[in-house]
DNA sequence: AAAGGATACAACCGCACTCCC
DNA sequence: TGGGAGTGCGGTTGTATCCTT
């Protein structure tokens, strides 16, 4: 059995204080990101590494774009969700300054409802019938073809019981707009 | 003005993946 | 090559704030 990521005792939980934020910012500015497990002790924080990483990534990073989502961002999220399903980190990767957590929250609180109001099922982006199950994931290959398959709530491809999946896939495919999105993943630029 | 419900979002939890020995 | 450690991701929960009655 895997050990917990950190000892439950001796760690703070819940909302971060200004002092804790400042300690984390100071430490990362001096030493950079990485080695989250040992960071809390080194930075003098009574938090688990996971919690520190989450706080930094979702809230403290200087390049974050705080505030409301623009309409263009909303539409992009909707389109990307139609293609990728609940792959929030991939979706957030296409939105500079936004985090996966932020995108996920915004989807759950705003965009889901928006689609429902438009008569679109937020799970499969089909017009007309709303269901609470399967979303889809689509992969663009190098030929520009797209390959779509149902995914479950874990984001895994659902290959089991695929009797009617081909019909559903073709229906889904034809109901999707031509998004013409470039989903190639760029390698990070190497400095130096 | 107060109570209860709805909403928004920060944070936690647990699983899965990758890396390294 | 197997196993453990570290990390990332998505789902879920907790709570503060706003809104309605």
């Amino acid at each position: 059995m895997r050990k917990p990521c950190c000892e439950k005792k001796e760690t703070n939980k819940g909302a971060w204080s200004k002092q804790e934020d400042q300690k984390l910012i100071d430490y990362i500015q001096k030493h950079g990101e990485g080695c989250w497990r040992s960071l809390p002790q080194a930075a003098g924080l009574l938090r688990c590494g996971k919690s520190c990483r989450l706080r930094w990534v979702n809230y403290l990073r200087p390049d974050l774009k705080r505030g409301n989502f623009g309409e263009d961002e909303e539409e992009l999220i909707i389109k990307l969700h139609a293609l990728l399903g609940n792959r929030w980190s991939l979706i957030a990767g296409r939105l500079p300054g936004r985090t996966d957590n932020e995108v996920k929250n915004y989807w759950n609180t705003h965009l889901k409802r928006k689609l429902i109001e438009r008569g679109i099922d937020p799970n499969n982006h089909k017009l007309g019938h709303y269901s609470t199950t399967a979303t889809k994931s689509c992969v663009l290959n190098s030929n520009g073809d797209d390959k779509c398959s149902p995914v479950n709530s874990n984001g895994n491809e659902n290959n089991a019981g695929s009797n009617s999946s081909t019909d559903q896939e073709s229906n889904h495919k034809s109901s999707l707009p031509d998004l013409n999105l470039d989903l190639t993943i760029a390698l990070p630029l190497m400095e130096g």
Side-chain angles (χ1 to χ4, degrees):
Chain A
M1 188 63 188
R2 172 192 287 279
K3 280 196 282 184
C5 78
C6 49
E7 291 293 330
K8 298 284 181 184
K9 59 178 183 181
E10 295 178 4
T11 57
N12 290 342
K13 278 191 177 182
W16 281 63
S17 68
K18 288 232 166 96
Q19 290 90 339
E20 285 178 309
D21 281 348
Q22 199 53 54
K23 278 185 183 177
L24 183 56
I25 292 168
D26 288 346
Y27 183 86
I28 291 177
Q29 279 176 350
K30 274 183 195 165
H31 302 93
E33 292 179 44
C35 201
W36 294 107
R37 195 177 176 85
S38 60
L39 184 148
Q41 199 178 8
L45 287 162
L46 294 175
R47 295 275 180 174
C48 81
K50 240 175 164 177
S51 180
C52 293
R53 178 188 155 271
L54 207 68
R55 182 65 176 172
W56 173 255
V57 167
N58 287 329
Y59 204 82
L60 298 175
R61 249 170 43 193
D63 58 330
L64 288 182
K65 192 202 289 184
R66 311 288 305 171
N68 294 339
F69 283 71
E71 275 197 22
D72 53 337
E73 285 179 306
E74 286 188 5
E75 291 305 317
L76 186 54
I77 293 169
I78 291 168
K79 287 172 182 174
L80 288 169
H81 187 271
L83 281 170
L84 300 168
N86 295 355
R87 312 280 175 84
W88 303 117
S89 59
L90 282 178
I91 294 172
R94 310 294 299 184
L95 293 158
R98 301 296 187 183
T99 70
D100 53 354
N101 208 35
E102 201 177 7
V103 171
K104 178 174 61 183
N105 280 332
Y106 194 73
W107 173 265
N108 285 326
T109 54
H110 293 89
L111 297 181
K112 239 180 176 176
R113 197 182 320 155
K114 208 167 186 173
L115 287 186
I116 291 169
E117 281 170 6
R118 290 183 193 173
I120 298 169
D121 182 342
N123 292 306
N124 57 21
H125 296 261
K126 281 186 186 172
L127 204 64
H129 41 289
Y130 173 82
S131 81
T132 56
T133 54
T135 55
K136 294 256 185 176
S137 80
C138 301
V139 176
L140 297 186
N141 65 25
S142 57
N143 299 325
D145 298 324
D146 66 320
K147 181 181 175 183
C148 300
S149 58
V151 290
N152 62 22
S153 59
N154 294 326
N156 298 323
E157 292 198 0
N158 180 7
N159 294 324
S162 58
N163 292 351
S164 58
S165 66
T166 30
D167 279 354
Q168 288 174 355
E169 279 170 23
S170 57
N171 285 345
H172 173 66
K173 209 172 177 177
S174 60
S175 69
L176 279 175
D178 181 13
L179 300 174
N180 192 27
L181 287 171
D182 174 16
L183 289 176
T184 54
I185 298 170
L187 291 170
L189 291 173
M190 302 296 285
E191 291 184 26

